[in-house]
């Protein structure tokens, strides 16, 4: 592997990916696309090397039109006078705001659909009505005389307020779900947020030219935004989805590229928002559309999931997942995919390039997402009355693609993996017999710690090797693992979400898993469902009567990619749960070197001290560890968990 001295770590090329990626189907499809002369993310990443050192270190400032400015030893300040700390922290604050905007937009669509359902303008059958009653209770909504739909409408309004409130009133979800000892920490730090929309606005405001010159105040805004992100975007989206489509329960299925079938219409469902895709599934499973597929000569219809839409559909219906953000082009390389129905986020432009190589129909269903050459049938959350008819058109377009394609190019890897998904918060507690059972096991060491292994992929790490390498080692050391997002696909395809994988765990954890009939990695849903893992952490801490920051917990983001991952990590940090990152964010990493007089310079700076030293630790009780090599990263994580246990006297 090529070593990048600016990052102090190796960077993989395509040969390294072939050698290190854990899924043999991946290698088969990389070769297949190369033979077909079809470029992928791996080729474009190679073409971009070497990447700009200033960009990699986060020291390039592009936040006004006086720049761009590169902060260096020669020019330590930008044209306006910003120094390195201000540039790097402002960039991180902006990344979190961008990620928060994405999740908040997703939440907004789902909550509007919930409200429209209560008002009767959207034809959606509510599957989680009892969940709405529970939320109404938690939000202290006076339900007297509201009626069933009135309660749902009031809950939707409370969630909508948390997405978009512009005044300093408390957030409903934060008041209902945050642990009280944490709320005190946040009050003392003065970081209680208003809403996702307000903090996105304030983050952009504070980082614009001449608005704030104190990097520590920007760091405070980062933490405030993390809370807005968690409670205004993640909780709102995950809870509204549960009221609309029900709370997931575990189910066994098969996943991986091999679930696609040559004689069938193969349709992949990709993106994040559940609203259109749920209705499309309803249509695809109707006798009319099934008949249409048979008329076109197909033996049936296969639905497969990609990215977070895939995670959610696996959780709710056991629909097989295929792959994640960096595998989306590879999936089309099977030549078997007739249509990809995409809604919002993580649908890369490269998808259409490969689609054109194989004649795959791309259908965009979000008003925010346009792809040149794709069929556009969008769901507009302000006009829910068209949902039914639009979903029917989407389903018909997808099925019609079967007859229009050249099927001679089909080559599906045989690999199929058994997996269990559907571990909503309630399902995890139900499987183990309650939070107290898990708390006892954490205290007596049968569970050495609880980690959530989540997030995207990045071409800067050999594809999926870190997710799988770290998770496997954590299991072998007795750590219970939850997962979401693209990491989830890597772990599902690697067999770690198969109940049979309990045999990898040491005796104490293995017995617990076998008794509960669950795998060592619990797939909880899409990236907004990280709050299900957070709720689990909070529930166990409650049983143990300990603050979150004292417990052997860890957030692992081994292959960060999307701006959304910044807020995911920050969400857990601000709750006192440390983060293990597999790749340095765009900050000047501490690179030790020898000084002019032979002395060792450790390369530390204010930003690395804040995130990885005592800064954040002294404020919220958590910090970031960064380690690329999966074996070393797992050791780092295990050391963190062990130290927590030692401090508690739990050995
Ligand atoms: S899809 S945000 S690449 S997890 Fe949620 Fe995957 Fe990250 Fe998108």
């Amino acid at each position: 592997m090529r070593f990048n001295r600016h990052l102090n770590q190796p960077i993989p090329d395509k040969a390294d990916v072939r050698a290190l990626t854990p899924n043999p189907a991946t290698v088969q499809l990389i070769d297949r696309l190369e033979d077909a002369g079809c470029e992928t993310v791996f080729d474009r990443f190679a073409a971009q090397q070497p990447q700009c050192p200033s960009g990699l270190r986060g020291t390039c400032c592009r936040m006004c039109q006086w720049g761009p400015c590169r902060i260096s030893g020669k020019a330590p300040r930008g044209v306006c006078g910003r120094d390195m700390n201000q540039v790097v922290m402002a960039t991180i604050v902006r990344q979190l705001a961008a990620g928060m905007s994405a999740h908040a937009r997703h939440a907004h669509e789902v909550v509007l659909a919930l409200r429209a359902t209560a008002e009767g303008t959207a034809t959606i059958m509510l599957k989680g009505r009892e969940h709405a009653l529970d939320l109404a209770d938690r939000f202290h909504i006076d339900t007297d005389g509201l009626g069933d739909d009135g309660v749902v409408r009031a809950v939707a309004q409370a969630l909508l307020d948390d997405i978009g409130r512009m005044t300093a009133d408390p957030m409903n979800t934060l008041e209902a779900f945050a642990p009280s000892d944490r709320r005190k920490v946040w009050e003392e730090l003065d970081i209680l947020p208003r809403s996702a929309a307000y903090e996105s606005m304030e983050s952009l405001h504070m980082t614009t030219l001449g608005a704030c010159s104190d990097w520590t105040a920007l760091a405070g805004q980062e933490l405030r935004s993390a809370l807005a992100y968690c409670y205004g975007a993640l909780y709102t989206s995950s809870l509204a989805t549960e009221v609309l489509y029900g709370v997931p329960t575990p189910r066994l299925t098969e996943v991986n590229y091999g679930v696609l079938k040559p004689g069938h219409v193969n349709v992949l469902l990709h993106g994040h928002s559940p609203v259109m895709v749920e209705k499309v599934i309803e249509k695809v499973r109707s006798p009319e559309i099934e008949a249409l597929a048979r008329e076109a000569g197909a033996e049936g219809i296969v639905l497969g999931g990609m990215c977070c839409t895939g995670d959610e559909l696996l959780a709710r219906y056991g629909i097989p997942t295929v792959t994640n953000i960096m595998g989306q082009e590879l999936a089309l390389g099977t030549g078997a995919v007739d249509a990809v129905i995409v809604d919002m986020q993580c649908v890369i432009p490269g998808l259409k390039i490969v689609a054109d190589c194989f004649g795959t129909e791309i259908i965009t269903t979000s008003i925010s997402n346009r792809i040149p050459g794709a069929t556009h049938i969008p769901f507009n959350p302000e006009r829910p009355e068209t949902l039914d008819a639009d979903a029917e058109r989407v389903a018909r377009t997808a099925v019609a693609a079967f007859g229009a394609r050249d099927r001679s190019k089909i080559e599906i890897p045989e690999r199929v993996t058994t997996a269990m998904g559907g571990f909503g918060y309630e399902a995890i507690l139900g499987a183990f017999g309650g939070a107290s059972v898990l708390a006892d096991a954490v205290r007596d060491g049968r569970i050495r710690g609880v980690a959530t292994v989540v997030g995207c992929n990045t071409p800067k790490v050999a594809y999926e090797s870190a997710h799988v390498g770290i998770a496997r080692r954590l299991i072998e050391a007795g750590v219970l693992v939850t997962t979401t997002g693209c990491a989830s696909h890597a772990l599902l395809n690697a067999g770690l979400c198969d109940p049979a994988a309990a045999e990898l765990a040491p005796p104490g954890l293995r017995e617990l898993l076998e008794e509960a009939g669950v795998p060592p990695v619990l797939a909880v849903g899409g990236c907004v469902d990280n709050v299900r893992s957070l709720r689990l952490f909070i529930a166990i801490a409650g049983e143990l009567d300990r603050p979150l920051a004292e417990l052997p917990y860890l957030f692992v983001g081994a292959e960060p990619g999307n701006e959304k991952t910044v807020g995911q990590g920050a969400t857990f940090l601000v709750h006192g749960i440390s983060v293990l990152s597999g790749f340095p964010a765009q900050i000047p990493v501490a690179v030790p070197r020898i000084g002019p007089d032979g002395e060792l310079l450790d390369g530390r700076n204010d930003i690395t001290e804040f995130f990885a030293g005592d800064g954040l630790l002294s404020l919220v009780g958590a910090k970031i560890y960064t380690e690329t090599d999966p074996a070393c990263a797992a050791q780092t994580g295990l050391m963190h968990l062990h130290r927590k246990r030692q401090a508690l006297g739990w050995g």
Side-chain angles (χ1 to χ4, degrees):
M1 272 201 246
R2 253 182 324 222
F3 193 81
N4 186 308
R5 67 187 173 85
H6 303 290
L7 296 172
N8 198 28
Q9 72 155 67
I11 293 288
D13 61 19
K14 217 167 165 181
D16 300 318
V17 174
R18 283 189 175 98
L20 297 171
T21 195
N23 188 353
T26 300
V27 181
Q28 191 179 334
L29 289 166
I30 288 176
D31 292 346
R32 175 90 210 283
L33 283 159
E34 197 167 278
D35 291 346
C38 217
E39 73 168 39
T40 63
V41 62
F42 303 101
D43 302 300
R44 294 186 294 269
F45 182 65
Q48 286 292 334
Q49 300 307 311
Q51 289 175 301
C52 167
S54 297
L56 287 172
R57 292 160 57 84
T59 52
C60 173
C61 184
R62 299 179 64 234
M63 283 171 268
C64 77
Q65 293 176 47
W66 290 2
C69 298
R70 273 176 301 177
I71 309 299
S72 65
K74 183 177 129 254
R77 288 185 182 272
V79 177
C80 72
R82 270 182 179 169
D83 64 12
M84 186 191 82
N85 291 343
Q86 292 160 23
V87 169
V88 175
M89 193 56 84
T91 303
I92 295 170
V93 167
R94 283 194 165 211
Q95 287 182 339
L96 199 157
M100 176 154 60
S101 304
H103 279 316
R105 171 65 179 81
H106 169 177
H108 184 249
E109 179 160 309
V110 183
V111 174
L112 285 193
L114 180 63
R115 193 176 68 176
T117 304
E119 291 171 348
T121 47
T123 49
I124 298 173
M125 170 97 79
L126 272 192
K127 294 186 184 149
R129 203 176 273 283
E130 69 296 336
H131 202 47
L133 285 172
D134 173 54
L135 289 177
D137 189 41
R138 287 174 183 268
F139 296 160
H140 306 297
I141 293 170
D142 181 1
T143 54
D144 268 2
L146 288 183
D148 285 356
D149 287 339
V151 171
V152 174
R153 198 188 185 290
V155 166
Q157 189 56 49
L159 296 173
L160 204 52
D161 289 344
D162 284 357
I163 299 169
R165 178 184 299 100
M166 286 289 147
T167 56
D169 306 310
M171 293 183 72
N172 300 308
T173 41
L174 189 149
E175 294 294 310
F177 289 97
S180 54
D181 59 312
R182 269 287 122 179
R183 281 215 292 277
K184 283 200 199 87
V185 172
W186 301 332
E187 265 165 35
E188 278 164 22
L189 292 174
D190 190 21
I191 57 167
L192 283 171
R194 297 180 183 205
S195 66
Y198 180 86
E199 301 309 340
S200 297
M201 176 177 76
E202 178 64 337
S203 293
L204 291 179
H205 166 228
M206 284 179 77
T207 53
T208 200
L209 176 62
C212 177
S213 303
D214 180 350
W215 75 268
T216 63
L218 294 175
Q221 179 59 18
E222 177 79 356
L223 300 182
R224 193 174 294 112
S225 298
L227 288 175
Y229 179 100
C230 174
Y231 292 98
L234 302 187
Y235 263 104
T236 48
S237 175
S238 190
L239 294 174
T241 302
E242 288 180 349
V243 177
L244 272 169
Y245 304 113
V247 177
T249 51
R251 49 189 87 223
L252 202 62
T253 187
E254 290 187 320
V255 299
N256 220 329
Y257 296 95
V259 300
L260 302 174
K261 293 185 184 155
H264 288 60
V265 187
N266 291 293
V267 181
L268 294 184
L269 309 164
H270 179 14
H272 286 78
S273 170
V275 183
M276 174 66 100
V277 77
E278 281 273 344
K279 192 54 93 175
V280 169
I281 291 169
E282 207 179 292
K283 300 293 176 192
V284 164
R285 288 177 169 170
S286 69
E288 296 78 26
I289 300 292
E290 282 175 359
L292 204 66
R294 278 194 300 275
E295 278 163 32
E299 294 164 38
I301 303 173
V302 171
L303 295 176
M306 286 209 291
C307 282
C308 285
T309 286
D311 287 324
E312 288 198 15
L313 298 177
L314 173 78
R316 287 199 290 278
Y317 306 113
I319 288 177
T321 48
V322 177
T323 187
N324 46 26
I325 186 164
M326 265 177 55
Q328 61 189 282
E329 295 165 311
L330 301 182
L332 270 53
T334 60
V337 181
D338 298 292
V340 190
I341 300 170
V342 306
D343 51 82
M344 54 173 68
Q345 303 159 30
C346 300
V347 181
I348 63 172
L351 184 72
K352 185 73 171 83
I353 301 171
V354 184
D356 289 344
C357 287
F358 290 90
T360 301
E361 173 82 47
I362 305 286
I363 307 166
T364 50
T365 64
S366 164
I367 50 171
S368 305
N369 184 7
R370 298 300 298 259
I371 299 176
T375 303
H376 190 53
I377 309 174
F379 168 65
N380 182 343
E382 306 284 356
R383 289 179 34 214
E385 61 281 358
T386 69
L387 177 62
D388 218 61
D390 289 342
E392 171 98 21
R393 277 175 62 212
V394 171
R396 284 181 179 274
T397 308
V399 169
F402 179 85
R405 276 182 1 98
D406 172 9
R407 312 201 73 74
S408 65
K409 293 182 183 170
I410 292 178
E411 185 185 313
I412 304 170
E414 280 176 11
R415 200 170 174 83
V416 166
T417 315
T418 302
M420 184 182 269
F423 288 97
Y425 165 73
E426 293 82 358
I428 297 174
L429 296 189
F432 285 100
S436 62
V437 176
L438 289 167
D440 287 346
V442 171
R443 193 194 291 110
D444 68 26
R446 279 172 294 156
I447 295 177
R448 301 294 299 169
V450 189
T452 188
V453 177
V454 304
C456 322
N457 311 116
T458 171
K460 291 172 179 162
V461 171
Y463 178 48
E464 294 184 337
S465 63
H467 290 314
V468 175
I470 294 171
R472 180 177 275 270
R473 287 174 175 87
L474 292 178
I475 297 164
E476 287 168 353
V479 177
L480 181 67
V481 176
T482 66
T483 187
T484 64
C486 289
S488 184
H489 293 271
L491 305 183
L492 286 158
N493 286 352
L496 299 179
C497 300
D498 181 345
E503 68 182 24
L504 295 172
L509 176 58
R510 186 169 66 223
E511 278 159 26
L512 266 176
L513 296 171
E514 285 172 350
E515 206 168 303
V518 301
V521 175
L522 308 173
V524 305
C527 43
V528 295
D529 300 315
N530 277 335
V531 291
R532 292 182 180 148
S533 300
L534 184 60
R535 289 181 71 188
L536 180 69
F537 286 155
I538 292 170
I540 297 173
E543 289 292 334
L544 292 165
D545 198 19
R546 297 278 183 184
L548 287 166
E550 285 185 11
L551 290 170
Y553 289 160
L554 189 63
F555 173 99
V556 185
E559 303 183 17
N562 197 302
E563 286 164 311
K564 289 182 276 182
T565 60
V566 176
Q568 298 284 12
T571 283
F572 282 77
L573 284 170
V574 83
H575 282 84
I577 296 160
S578 287
V579 166
L580 173 62
S581 175
F583 185 83
Q586 285 161 351
I587 59 175
V589 293
V591 181
R593 57 198 162 85
I594 305 297
D597 299 321
E599 74 279 26
L600 179 68
L601 305 173
D602 64 14
R604 285 187 293 183
N605 55 62
D606 289 339
I607 302 294
T608 53
E609 275 304 284
F610 178 75
F611 286 113
D614 286 338
L616 206 48
L617 191 63
S618 65
L619 297 176
V620 297
K623 61 187 278 189
I624 301 179
Y625 304 93
T626 303
E627 178 54 63
T628 304
D629 178 79
C632 296
Q635 275 310 318
T636 303
L638 290 170
M639 196 134 57
H640 166 80
L641 298 174
H642 181 65
R643 284 206 196 104
K644 292 285 180 189
R645 298 192 69 85
Q646 271 189 321
L648 288 161
W650 293 349

